[in-house]
Amino acid sequence: MLLRSSVDVLSLKLNRKLCSCIWLDTLTSLRWDRGQDFCPSRSRGHQSTGEQGGSIYSYGPYPQLSPSSESLLAEKMIQCVQAMLYLSVLVAFAACNAPPVPLDDILIEKTFVPEQCVRAVKVGDYVRYHYNGMFPDGKKFDSSYDRGSTYNVFVGKKQLIAGMDKALVGMCVNERSLIKIPPHLAYGKQGYGDIIPPDSILHFDVLLLDVWNPEDGVQSNTYHTPSTCSRKVEVSDYVRYHYNGTLLDGTLFDSSHTRLRTYDTYVGIGWLIAGMDQGLLGMCVGEKRIITMPPSLGYGENGDGSDIPGQASLVFDVVLLDLHNPRDGITVTNQILPESCTRKTVAGDFVRYHYNGSLLDGTFFDSSYSRNRTYDTYVGRGYVIAGMDEGLIGVCVGEKRTVTIPPHLGYGEEGTGSKIPGSAVLVFDIHIIDFHNPSDKTEITITHKPEECDKQTKKGDFVKYHYNASLMDGSSIDSTYNYAKTYNIVLGANQVVPGMEDGLMDMCVGEKRHLVIPPHLGYGERGVTDEVPGSAVLVFDIELVEMEEGLPEGYMFIWNDEVSPDLFTEMDTDNNKQVEPSEFTDYIMRQVNEGKGRLAPGFDPYRIIDNMFSNQDRDGDGKITEAEFKLKADEAPHDEL
């Protein structure tokens, strides 16, 4: 508040004295009707008594007057009030034009105080502030706003007028104050040219924007720490981070978030301003911290020429998303091994595996599970990124592991579209479903062998067997036990996958085997829709239940006895020198039923007989003549008599 002027004080004194004098003068000039003197010193409530005509009178500070005295007193009071009003007007006019009373010291009125004081000014600090300079009557003589730049100066080093040097100490960033400085702490009796007259009181409306000290270094304040931190930023590491950059007063000058792209750089090798180079060291992926730096470690005296003024402190709100070093290789963690592992992958193997892919900060980018299909590839042949090629070597079927891949072994500086940014570290959680090598053959393990084994299966035999079929990860495919019947085939007739043909050879009735069949001997790259995935290794547990010996290779029918020398005549029952299809069929079936001949087992007998007839009907007219009719031994090999 401004001090009262001497005129204000004088007017108060005059008003009081004038009223007192007029009041007392009026009272003392009056005569009492009852002959009593008035004692103005008597206090209210104090009582005196007098006797007149037997009456007792009480006296207070106000006497009881006669009617004539009351009229006179009223007239005097009116004159008193008029005089007071007139004098008050004169005093007020004089007060408005009187010079202010000189101040003994600065006066500070804080017009805005921030909720938090980021930093308060100390002697020796360097400050940046805006101001409006005014005289007490409100006339402006200077303004930093008009120049479009803050006033920047050291505090307490006599670079300012003494009053401002003193007033700035203790101010907080974003604090606003009205500072009133007396002449002897401003420009004194000399004034300042034509701008500030001698003996001028100066008012400054000051907004403090920045403060730092030449001895300041980088200040880091971590406000979020991830639950795990396996690695911290070191010199020469490459990092990816998001940031908001502000001045010390909170003014935003830049943000990676607005560009929807991280800032990617090496740390500690001079690619960044010195303060950021220092502030990023020791951070963990997922950590959030505030990095504050003085201009000497930021953009210095000149700023960046755009949004960052010279001599500005900088504040960066940083979240670290990724880090790696160019010397990094892949890392394998979180291994879960199966109870048994008889084989591990090598270069050239074909692998089927599931994976979840994420960035180092946990951001998901892809999953084979979401497609409900494994990822199938050769390893060690460059079919996948180098890091995955390496991470899939030496794994067991059923194994789970986490493979962390630096960008130079992943998708490099370019990334892949919108999902994987450039220079991103990749994390794959993988589960090995199966693998094989193109050179693999059917793996046969005998789990039970009967004590007696007179005959072993061979090509052409008709066999009946049970099986349980599954994938390498244990997923069930099918089982004959579910249907309570055997699976029946002729070996060598391409009625099952080649791997099963191999597994059923040379078996005894009652024997049990465990078969592992690679996909090129199973259902290949396509698999069986909704049953067997493409390129899947198959596992069969089989038991041979029954077998019937087949015919020699190339034969569909054989004679158990000697062949009749008059075979054609026996078939030609109507003696027309031609054998009709019905005659041919009836004859062969009669030989089989009488035990004189045998058809190849496992096939439809009538289809076999039709095939045999077609082979004998050489001109295709639907009839066999004696000239066409020949035995197997009489001609080149083919499936006939």
Side-chain angles (χ1 to χ4, degrees):
M1 296 177 61
L2 293 173
L3 293 176
R4 288 177 174 172
S5 67
S6 57
V7 177
D8 294 332
V9 177
L10 177 62
S11 66
L12 291 174
K13 291 180 180 179
L14 288 175
N15 287 338
R16 291 171 183 171
K17 186 172 182 180
L18 177 62
C19 292
S20 299
C21 292
I22 294 175
W23 173 262
L24 292 176
D25 178 65
T26 302
L27 292 179
T28 53
S29 65
L30 299 175
R31 298 180 65 185
W32 298 100
D33 292 340
R34 300 187 182 276
Q36 300 295 325
D37 291 332
F38 171 62
C39 179
S41 63
R42 197 181 302 274
S43 62
R44 185 182 301 269
H46 181 77
Q47 295 182 346
S48 295
T49 59
E51 208 176 288
Q52 185 171 359
S55 299
I56 302 297
Y57 293 89
S58 296
Y59 300 98
Y62 303 105
Q64 295 188 5
L65 304 177
S66 64
S68 60
S69 297
E70 289 178 354
S71 176
L72 179 60
L73 178 60
E75 183 179 348
K76 290 289 186 178
M77 286 299 295
I78 290 173
Q79 294 175 357
C80 174
V81 171
Q82 291 174 342
M84 288 174 62
L85 291 174
Y86 178 73
L87 184 58
S88 297
V89 172
L90 292 177
V91 170
F93 179 78
C96 291
N97 290 276
V101 175
L103 302 172
D104 295 330
D105 200 354
I106 62 171
L107 287 176
I108 300 175
E109 296 180 10
K110 295 185 178 183
T111 56
F112 177 79
V113 178
E115 293 182 2
Q116 293 183 342
C117 185
V118 177
R119 181 168 179 174
V121 179
K122 297 180 181 178
V123 173
D125 283 347
Y126 191 91
V127 296
R128 295 173 48 249
Y129 63 92
H130 269 305
Y131 71 88
N132 283 317
M134 304 165 290
F135 296 112
D137 63 357
K139 181 180 179 181
K140 183 170 67 175
F141 62 80
D142 191 18
S143 173
S144 63
Y145 296 99
D146 294 342
R147 292 190 295 274
S149 64
T150 56
Y151 194 78
N152 308 336
V153 69
F154 281 101
V155 175
K157 294 190 175 183
K158 298 184 178 180
Q159 297 180 3
L160 293 162
I161 58 175
M164 185 63 78
D165 238 1
K166 184 177 181 181
L168 289 173
V169 175
M171 280 193 75
C172 297
V173 173
N174 284 327
E175 182 178 325
R176 186 173 182 179
S177 295
L178 179 62
I179 302 170
K180 300 177 181 180
I181 304 176
H184 66 280
L185 296 179
Y187 293 98
K189 296 184 179 297
Q190 289 76 26
Y192 187 78
D194 297 332
I195 300 175
I196 299 176
D199 293 323
S200 294
I201 295 175
L202 305 181
H203 291 184
F204 289 91
D205 185 356
V206 174
L207 175 61
L208 185 65
L209 300 179
D210 198 350
V211 55
W212 53 270
N213 193 281
E215 296 181 359
D216 285 348
V218 173
Q219 299 177 16
S220 297
N221 176 29
T222 297
Y223 64 92
H224 174 74
T225 303
S227 57
T228 59
C229 179
S230 59
R231 181 174 181 178
K232 296 183 178 181
V233 177
E234 299 178 359
V235 172
S236 80
D237 280 347
Y238 193 90
V239 297
R240 295 175 49 248
Y241 63 92
H242 270 304
Y243 70 88
N244 285 319
T246 62
L247 305 180
L248 201 60
D249 66 340
T251 301
L252 179 72
F253 62 79
D254 192 20
S255 174
S256 64
H257 297 281
T258 60
R259 294 189 294 273
L260 300 177
R261 182 178 179 182
T262 56
Y263 194 82
D264 309 338
T265 182
Y266 285 98
V267 177
I269 62 172
W271 284 27
L272 293 163
I273 55 176
M276 187 61 80
D277 248 354
Q278 296 177 30
L280 290 171
L281 293 175
M283 285 192 75
C284 302
V285 172
E287 181 178 339
K288 298 179 182 180
R289 65 168 55 171
I290 303 294
I291 301 173
T292 305
M293 63 193 70
S296 60
L297 299 176
Y299 288 94
E301 296 181 0
N302 298 322
D304 70 344
S306 178
D307 299 312
I308 301 175
Q311 301 290 27
S313 300
L314 305 179
V315 180
F316 290 91
D317 189 344
V318 175
V319 54
L320 185 66
L321 301 181
D322 200 344
L323 84 107
H324 75 276
N325 194 281
R327 299 186 298 272
D328 287 348
I330 69 166
T331 57
V332 176
T333 56
N334 304 326
Q335 282 184 281
I336 301 176
L337 298 173
E339 293 183 0
S340 64
C341 179
T342 58
R343 177 178 174 182
K344 294 185 178 181
T345 54
V346 297
D349 283 348
F350 191 89
V351 182
R352 295 175 55 245
Y353 64 97
H354 272 302
Y355 71 87
N356 284 318
S358 63
L359 305 181
L360 201 58
D361 66 341
T363 301
F364 170 85
F365 64 79
D366 192 20
S367 174
S368 63
Y369 294 100
S370 64
R371 295 187 293 273
N372 197 30
R373 181 181 177 185
T374 56
Y375 192 83
D376 308 337
T377 184
Y378 286 97
V379 295
R381 294 288 186 265
Y383 285 84
V384 290
I385 57 176
M388 186 60 80
D389 236 2
E390 184 180 349
L392 290 171
I393 297 294
V395 295
C396 305
V397 171
E399 180 177 339
K400 295 181 180 180
R401 59 168 55 179
T402 299
V403 181
T404 303
I405 303 173
H408 52 274
L409 297 177
Y411 291 99
E413 295 181 359
E414 299 300 323
T416 59
S418 60
K419 290 187 176 182
I420 300 178
S423 300
V425 176
L426 308 178
V427 180
F428 289 93
D429 291 309
I430 64 175
H431 181 200
I432 306 300
I433 303 302
D434 75 24
F435 67 87
H436 71 278
N437 193 280
S439 63
D440 286 348
K441 297 180 179 180
T442 300
E443 180 183 326
I444 302 173
T445 303
I446 298 175
T447 58
H448 175 73
K449 187 89 170 183
E451 294 182 359
E452 295 184 4
C453 182
D454 298 332
K455 294 182 180 181
Q456 291 183 322
T457 56
K458 64 182 184 302
K459 187 175 181 180
D461 287 350
F462 181 62
V463 297
K464 298 181 179 181
Y465 64 97
H466 275 301
Y467 69 81
N468 285 316
S470 64
L471 302 178
M472 285 287 282
D473 65 349
S475 301
S476 178
I477 299 175
D478 195 14
S479 175
T480 57
Y481 295 100
N482 295 336
Y483 313 113
K485 63 179 182 179
T486 58
Y487 197 78
N488 309 328
I489 66 163
V490 176
L491 290 177
N494 296 323
Q495 295 178 350
V496 289
V497 296
M500 182 61 77
E501 290 263 20
D502 296 339
L504 287 168
M505 289 294 184
D506 303 318
M507 280 190 80
C508 302
V509 173
E511 184 176 337
K512 297 180 181 180
R513 291 181 175 182
H514 179 79
L515 309 180
V516 179
I517 303 175
H520 52 274
L521 297 176
Y523 292 103
E525 295 182 2
R526 294 188 176 184
V528 178
T529 304
D530 298 328
E531 292 185 33
V532 180
S535 301
V537 176
L538 306 177
V539 178
F540 285 91
D541 288 300
I542 62 175
E543 178 185 3
L544 185 61
V545 176
E546 185 179 333
M547 65 171 287
E548 182 180 346
E549 188 175 2
L551 303 185
E553 186 174 357
Y555 286 84
M556 299 297 289
F557 175 85
I558 62 173
W559 296 95
N560 293 330
D561 296 326
E562 292 293 329
V563 180
S564 171
D566 199 13
L567 187 59
F568 182 82
T569 301
E570 292 178 6
M571 289 184 183
D572 183 19
T573 57
D574 59 1
N575 297 316
N576 63 353
K577 305 300 182 181
Q578 294 178 339
V579 175
E580 305 288 338
S582 59
E583 293 175 317
F584 188 86
T585 300
D586 290 343
Y587 182 81
I588 296 298
M589 289 300 297
R590 187 166 61 252
Q591 304 308 307
V592 171
N593 293 333
E594 292 175 358
K596 296 179 181 180
R598 188 159 68 93
L599 290 168
F603 299 101
D604 181 354
Y606 293 101
R607 292 188 63 181
I608 294 178
I609 295 172
D610 287 343
N611 192 354
M612 293 168 61
F613 182 88
S614 297
N615 289 335
Q616 293 294 321
D617 182 15
R618 303 178 192 281
D619 60 5
D621 64 353
K623 300 174 184 178
I624 302 174
T625 64
E626 189 170 5
E628 293 175 312
F629 187 79
K630 293 182 181 180
L631 294 176
K632 178 80 172 177
D634 299 332
E635 59 182 351
H638 51 78
D639 292 339
E640 56 165 79
L641 285 174

